[in-house]
Amino acid sequence: MHVSTTVFASRIQRFRLPRVCVAVVGEDASNIIDRAESRVRDNPFMEFRLDYLSQPAAALPKLKHFLDLHPEATVIATCRRAVNGGKFKGSAAAQLEILTKAAAMGFQLVDIELQSAEILKPAELAQLKDRVGVILSFHDFKATKKLEETFAEMKQYPADFYKVVSTATSLYDNVQMMKFLQAHSAQHEMVGLCMGEQGIISRALGVRAGSVFTFAAATRGEETAPGQVTASELRDTYRIEMVDAATQVYGVVGDPVAHSMSPVMMNAAFRRETVNAVFIALHAKTMKDLMACIPDIPIRGLSVTMPYKHDIVEALANSDALTRQIGSCNTVVRSQDGKLYGFNTDVAGVVVPLEQRLTLQGAKILVVGAGGVARSAVFGLKNKGAEVYVTNRTAEKGQALARQAKAKYLKRADVAKMSFDVIINATPLGMGANRQSPLEEKELNTKFLFDLVYVPAETRLTKMARAKNITVIPGLEMFVQQGARQFEIWTGKPAPIAEMSFVVTKALERLEPLPAEEEAPPPKPRAAEKPAPNAPTKVAAKATGKKAASPPAVQPAKKAAKKASKKLVKR
Ligand code: NAP
């Protein structure tokens, strides 16, 4: 049956299409149908990758059965040729034949590459477009470049949607894609995104810039393109269905940042307080890349994490007293005129959970560690009138911090001789696959133990403390409190703390369990705490973003632990 363009167009008007199209792959037609059946309720917009099948044409009658049963579904037939990044080994003519059959079977849309369109006769393409909605696509698997030139070529061919997919090698590539979409989406039905881990933000923000829809994986492990996120992540975390031009953009910037819990927590807070905003993870490999993107995305606020908390200070037009005192900024506000203002909410993250339990004035507190977070803890607690002690693996760094904050440095060998109101672990020991404790049992002479490590929720240190009836304050409380303060700075509204805590707790529970590893004994205090430290462990290096010295040989168990450490959660 011949379907006229006019009749067809009404079926695919942009406002009728959901924002997320889920790619479905399978070894055979039954496999695709099984997967589609289980997804169609939540994902009525799907793409069937016919090129993943050994006999795409033979599979079509079976797939038709699914389409007949599900008139509510809109399904794209894609049979991408291997030369253009797909799996179909046939010619452009064979591809056209399959897509034409797919149209006859009831697929509402077909995807055909620019390169195939260039090979086919104009009349052949016109015939296809008469039968079905055509997505003319172009994929660059290496870079984001020459978008305008590519689109100029694409426009020569009639299509219902023009889909341009590139690969982001920097954060700025996402900006290029968004500018490109903004420039053309008023005249054409555009679909655009950047692949790759650095392109994830284009999947959430592309629709804000004019992409009619974007692509997602049905579940983790079923990605059909690098950097593809799941449909539920796009909908539930990034709330893609409500993102529009007025949506304010916030994000967490760092390197690495892919497994940050901040998007889950902040998007939940925005949703709960009905703020039209989206919070994304921005993977910037350099400060220069980050600074180039801030004006163009445009970002309203940033949560800053490793390794930029110190470097961002120089880019600020002004900052709060804590940022100036500590030299570390974890929260940025971008004003209407583009200026950046910095705040430190890490201090609130440490101080608030403690103030909820004890009076800090005069409290005797030991901070273990002298890195970025320890710095915020030591200065923040000194400002509250606490008697603060610092101990650190590298004595020189600990002494310098104690000197600057007017705290006291304590040699590790003396820790066991003292008792405290609070001991704070501000080292990465215990984090992820690392099963070490920064202190030994005999050194835990304290009423409260605040372990800033929050993945996993229970560490060797917290277990030891509980066994000694010490009250444990989980690191999650710091994460939630620093985020709550950020939310308040950005929105002027009280943060929905219970909701924020709940979603992060649930997200942590969903993380893959870390492989069991024999619990290593806690590192002994160094006989003489010399300035030259051992190289950080692999896990510590991951946590701190610093490079660790390679061990002479990696044992299988260590390999597993290393893999698991990639799942570590850093803010
Ligand atoms: P950082 O700047 O790299 O500092 C790490 C500190 O830990 C340094 O003092 C370092 O000692 C010490 N350290 C590292 N490996 C050690 C080891 N094997 N033995 C003894 N000491 C060791 O890191 P950071 O940004 O302060 O973060 C520290 C930890 O805080 C993170 O790993 C994370 O678990 C936690 N954190 C929690 C939150 C939260 O919201 N709950 C937020 C941020 C961070 P040297 O000076 O000798 O190198």
Side-chain angles (χ1 to χ4, degrees), residues 307-567:
Y308 301 121
K309 284 187 185 184
H310 177 69
D311 294 352
I312 195 90
V313 175
E314 275 183 28
L316 303 173
N318 206 347
S319 55
D320 66 351
L322 282 172
T323 299
R324 288 197 295 277
Q325 184 188 30
I326 301 166
S328 166
C329 165
N330 75 323
T331 309
V332 172
V333 173
R334 182 173 168 273
S335 64
Q336 296 288 356
D337 61 3
K339 287 191 177 146
L340 305 181
Y341 297 91
F343 299 83
N344 181 309
T345 74
D346 280 337
V347 168
V350 175
V351 166
V352 173
L354 290 174
E355 277 183 325
Q356 287 167 347
R357 291 167 169 98
L358 73 157
T359 306
L360 290 177
Q361 178 72 39
K364 215 166 147 189
I365 301 180
L366 172 68
V367 177
V368 186
V373 173
R375 226 179 139 70
S376 289
V378 172
F379 276 98
L381 294 167
K382 275 299 293 180
N383 290 347
K384 292 283 174 185
E387 188 186 343
V388 182
Y389 293 79
V390 181
T391 191
N392 190 45
R393 177 178 63 174
T394 309
E396 216 174 41
K397 275 168 70 181
Q399 285 159 351
L401 171 57
R403 204 168 40 244
Q404 286 162 20
K406 300 193 171 39
K408 294 171 192 158
Y409 185 74
L410 195 61
K411 278 197 288 192
R412 174 73 191 273
D414 292 337
V415 171
K417 298 175 195 157
M418 307 235 338
S419 63
F420 301 93
D421 293 303
V422 183
I423 292 179
I424 300 177
N425 173 31
T427 77
L429 290 185
M431 186 162 101
N434 181 304
R435 297 290 193 270
Q436 288 190 312
S437 163
L439 295 176
E440 291 183 57
E441 198 240 318
K442 65 174 187 219
E443 295 170 303
L444 288 182
N445 303 315
T446 180
K447 292 181 195 136
F448 295 93
L449 184 272
F450 193 0
D451 192 348
L452 302 188
V453 168
Y454 66 98
V455 188
E458 198 74 59
T459 62
R460 187 169 158 80
L461 179 67
T462 58
K463 274 187 209 155
M464 265 192 317
R466 284 186 211 284
K468 287 185 82 173
N469 281 330
I470 295 165
T471 305
V472 170
I473 308 173
L476 180 77
E477 288 198 26
M478 174 184 176
F479 182 63
V480 172
Q481 287 297 343
Q482 61 78 35
R485 187 78 197 98
Q486 291 182 326
F487 182 88
E488 286 161 7
I489 290 169
W490 292 329
T491 66
K493 294 180 174 214
I497 290 179
E499 172 85 4
M500 292 164 81
S501 181
F502 176 79
V503 292
V504 180
T505 306
K506 288 285 153 205
L508 290 175
E509 282 170 13
R510 282 195 301 271
L511 281 183
E512 272 177 45
L514 295 158
E517 196 183 72
E518 219 172 276
E519 289 196 347
K524 294 268 178 209
R526 288 178 183 170
E529 288 175 319
K530 289 200 178 126
N534 283 341
T537 62
K538 281 275 178 189
V539 170
K542 187 83 194 166
T544 59
K546 290 169 196 162
K547 285 209 165 87
S550 295
V554 182
Q555 305 300 321
K558 284 201 178 151
K559 270 191 187 166
K562 195 176 152 197
K563 202 172 158 203
S565 76
K566 288 194 174 155
K567 300 199 175 297

